[in-house]
Amino acid sequence: MNASSEPTGTPFHDLDRYVAIPRLTGLVLSTDGTRLAATVQTLDPERTGYTTALWEVDPAGEQPARRLTRSAKGESSAAFTQGGDLLFTSARPDPDAGRNGDDPKSALWLLPAGGGEARVVATAPGGISGPLAARDADVVSVASSLLPTAKDLEQDEELRKKRKDHKVAAILHSSYPVRYWDHDLGPDQDRRFAADLAGLADEPAAPVPPAEGEKESAEEPTSARLDLRDLTGAGRELLNHTANLSPDGSTLVTTWALIEGTAVRETLVAVDTATGARRTLVDDPDAHISSPVVSPDGSWVVYVTETITTPTTAQVTRLGLVALAGDAEPVVLADDWDRWPTSAAWLPDGSGLVVTADDDGRGPVFLLTFTSGLPGGEVAVEKVTSDAAVFTDVSVAPDGSALYALRASYAAPAEPVRVDLAAFLASGEAGEREAVAATALRSPVPAAELPGVLREVETQASDGSRVRAWLALPSTASADEPAPLLLWIHGGPLGSWNSWSWRWNPWLMVAEGYAVLLPDPALSTGYGQAFVQRGWGAWGAAPYTDLLAITDAAEALPEIDETRTAAMGGSFGGYMANWVAGHTDRFRAIVTHASLWALDQFGPTTDASYYWALEMTPEMAHENTPHRFVDQIRTPMLVVHGDKDYRVPVGEGLRLWYELLSASGLPAGPDGETVHRFLYFPDENHWVLTPQHAKVWYQVVLAFLSEHVLGKERELPPMLG
């Protein structure tokens, strides 16, 4: 899978071509419904990183997509103002701050609806992120990180300069947590700001001389900046927050973290964008709150509520509803719907919501209708889309006639689509309507040619539960030429193999001749609460036996060579790979990435130990920890870990590596030789994201599998030295 001057096969046959495939990552609809802005990620010229740009997609599907922005730093976080201007964030140099700014931070830019050049409209020493724009008013809200003692942006800049000049990177903590996924928390903390867009174009700026080779612009630039009002002040309450603006711009609704000892719980608050006055909307001691969305008339807020777990009871995820005025108690919507909502958007008339949720290896759009009015009462839930795919970034047309979204599956990466909601509603009475297929729009990203076919496999577990999986097969696989099987276990554990992943991509393995099994065992989402509960607190029980049962079903297919199999997984999937290694020798090789190994060690060192403390008792952790079975491991293992992984700290990988070589059934020999391998990334996190490291990851994994599954030596990447 190396680059060649004459490309052959699909891009999945060549890692250089694969990492260069453009990737669609976001979609947002303008307030009048006439424009869609998409975010596209592409490989940079050095091929060592990715940059993003904004493209316009025609909602009617008639015109080709056209590029809106272009810079080496990239642009993201698109949001349309009520007047149709496009806001976005970018760290590209600000012409008004000099052509070679010193370490430019992400700023807020505005691209006028009527055309012309984008210009900076807001900056902050800690950068700008998360722009929100009111639908019916010239009000915006942005987030920025400030040092806790900074009273305003000016003082924050002074404090940051002192830290930088004195080369101080130390962080003094007084509360938990201190890390999140792959970055340290503090010393700066997120705050929310509001600003009025009116008057931005009133102040002329001094013209900036053109760079060599550029033509002088005939337009007069403007340097007017937004007057950012601090809404939330210093504190850690906006830890990983989600927020939304009311349509009239008068209220910011945001999650508000409460730190209780070593635990974190999210509540919901409303903040007046003119005065900063704050009031609590939802404070449920038994739940976490996220993803608020204000109704079109500004009266209601829908949000996702997730019950706090116990070692014996899995979380329950539902939609909640609360009056924005705070004059009614919150209610739970569709409590008898046995699915976990992942997002919600209001219908324009407020009569219902379009909701996404995992469902049987897919992620359809559902319609939730208020059949007896608000605030509560009965609701009806219907499936709107029939595609075998996952829908994200869903927006509703202002007239309610259509939905716009990104659609992705293991058959195709994300693409923009239109769903004819009017046709769905007209097809019959509620409860009798047939789901409709989405229509692809003209994407800025070309379709990807796959090296195989996608099928479904299912079986029955020992307790009678249905277990299903996707199976990606090489085009050449047949009874006469069966393919070796790779069992790939998903992470989470609360998740599903239901949507395209650029990081965990089975088609690269299929291009090498492997059949890749992507199962959803117990704990997977999209199969109901009972399916999650049957694996809760007992990771080594039903999830493990489900994996073996679905592997048996796949191996019974004539296209599969059951004598050549391997297993692999990352995060929780890595945990399961370790558990599999200690409980069966049916596989010829096992790859374990960012994996949990010793649960007593993992619990107190992960970035969210408070969550882990609610997941398992010490006795349950002891019962389910893979490290107790190291002496039973007789399968060659490839261990992969990144040093910047705070979710599963590198100590898990280091301990696994030492114990494999010192205490497994395949220990290191007298000269230190071993069949096991350890691929270590000093500057990568939980996923290994940079293009060249991703290439190395796949090259090492494929070489390891080739040696032990296919019996063929394969050259390792020369950059490993």
Side-chain angles (χ1 to χ4, degrees), residues 38 149 196 237 362 366 400 461 463 475 518 627 640 669 686:
T149 58
D196 301 313
E237 292 83 2
R362 296 147 174 86
F366 296 87
D463 64 356
S475 302
L518 305 167
H627 84 278
V640 187
H686 196 60

Side-chain angles (χ1 to χ4, degrees), residues 209-335:
E212 185 177 351
E214 289 184 349
K215 293 182 179 180
E216 186 167 357
S217 174
E219 298 184 16
E220 187 178 64
T222 60
S223 61
R225 300 294 167 89
L226 294 173
D227 180 16
L228 298 178
R229 303 186 296 274
D230 189 346
L231 297 180
T232 53
R236 305 191 68 190
E237 292 83 2
L238 292 185
L239 193 66
N240 308 310
H241 73 286
T242 51
N244 190 239
L245 270 178
S246 62
D248 65 1
S250 66
T251 308
L252 174 76
V253 179
T254 180
T255 53
W256 195 259
L258 296 183
I259 299 177
E260 302 167 327
T262 57
V264 179
R265 177 171 61 85
E266 291 80 21
T267 64
L268 194 66
V269 303
V271 184
D272 188 299
T273 58
T275 67
R278 184 178 70 251
R279 51 193 172 83
T280 299
L281 295 176
V282 182
D283 184 354
D284 184 347
D286 299 318
H288 297 286
I289 307 300
S290 65
S291 308
V293 186
V294 183
S295 64
D297 65 358
S299 299
W300 303 95
V301 182
V302 68
Y303 56 91
V304 175
T305 174
E306 174 188 308
T307 60
I308 295 174
T309 64
T310 73
T312 57
T313 307
Q315 72 186 57
V316 179
T317 303
R318 293 289 185 263
L319 289 178
L321 183 75
V322 67
L324 183 56
D327 54 359
E329 289 295 312
V331 297
V332 173
L333 300 175
D335 197 23

Side-chain angles (χ1 to χ4, degrees), residues 129 269 467 530 690 698:
S129 63
V269 303
V467 182
T690 58
Y698 278 105

Side-chain angles (χ1 to χ4, degrees), residues 454-475:
L454 192 66
R455 290 172 48 179
E456 284 189 88
V457 179
E458 65 177 66
T459 192
Q460 193 174 72
S462 56
D463 64 356
S465 299
R466 170 177 169 265
V467 182
R468 62 157 300 285
W470 293 108
L471 179 65
L473 278 167
S475 302

Side-chain angles (χ1 to χ4, degrees), residues 1-18:
M1 299 180 70
N2 295 317
S4 62
S5 56
E6 295 294 333
T8 59
T10 71
F12 301 92
H13 289 86
D14 186 309
L15 282 170
D16 283 320
R17 293 172 63 196
Y18 171 75

